[in-house]
Amino acid sequence: MTKTIIMRNAWKFARNAAAKFGGEAIEYIAGAMKKSWAMYKAKQAEKGCKVIGFAEWFIDKKFGHKSMFTQIHENKNRIKKETKKAYLIESTPVVNGEEQSSIEFWAPKSVCI
């Protein structure tokens, strides 16, 4: 997940809090940032990898079907190799607590969340 996405989520949380409790979003940004970072760290721990997802258009282009977006996001991802601009991802589906056969693909860092 990029810092941009974390900050966008934080501002969204702050605006929602301002609408609910009154005041301006800037008054709630500190708490919203803590919440956004906590969500990111929890998702990162759950996935076991610093890459927790990918841009939807990338998955659609790479695999040719929109259903793969959900499948890839639910899979356990592992970074096998890293270059300056991309990751080699090993994506392993887990069904009923049992790992299935994995797929490998290169993903540019710009599409990784």
Side-chain angles (χ1 to χ4, degrees):
M1 182 179 285
T2 64
K3 290 180 184 177
T4 303
I5 294 171
I6 293 169
M7 288 303 295
R8 284 183 185 163
N9 285 342
W11 278 106
K12 184 171 38 170
F13 295 148
R15 283 190 295 275
N16 289 343
K20 185 174 182 178
F21 302 114
E24 294 184 26
I26 193 74
E27 298 170 6
Y28 298 96
I29 194 64
M33 285 178 63
K34 287 178 186 174
K35 180 179 178 181
S36 186
W37 275 104
M39 287 176 59
Y40 166 66
K41 289 177 182 176
K43 193 68 167 175
Q44 197 176 32
E46 175 187 319
K47 287 286 190 174
C49 179
K50 65 181 175 182
V51 176
I52 61 173
F54 306 93
E56 186 173 2
W57 67 266
F58 171 74
I59 298 296
D60 189 31
K61 182 178 177 181
K62 185 80 172 172
F63 298 104
H65 200 274
K66 291 204 181 286
S67 68
M68 285 299 290
F69 180 75
T70 305
Q71 292 175 22
I72 293 292
H73 275 279
E74 292 174 356
N75 290 352
K76 183 178 178 183
N77 299 323
R78 184 173 74 88
I79 297 173
K80 288 188 79 172
K81 290 183 185 176
E82 180 177 354
T83 65
K84 193 180 257 188
K85 295 185 177 184
Y87 295 116
L88 177 60
I89 305 291
E90 180 181 47
S91 186
T92 308
V94 179
V95 178
N96 297 328
E98 190 173 311
E99 292 187 1
Q100 306 296 315
S101 61
S102 61
I103 58 171
E104 289 184 2
F105 58 94
W106 282 97
K109 289 182 177 180
S110 62
V111 301
C112 296
I113 299 171

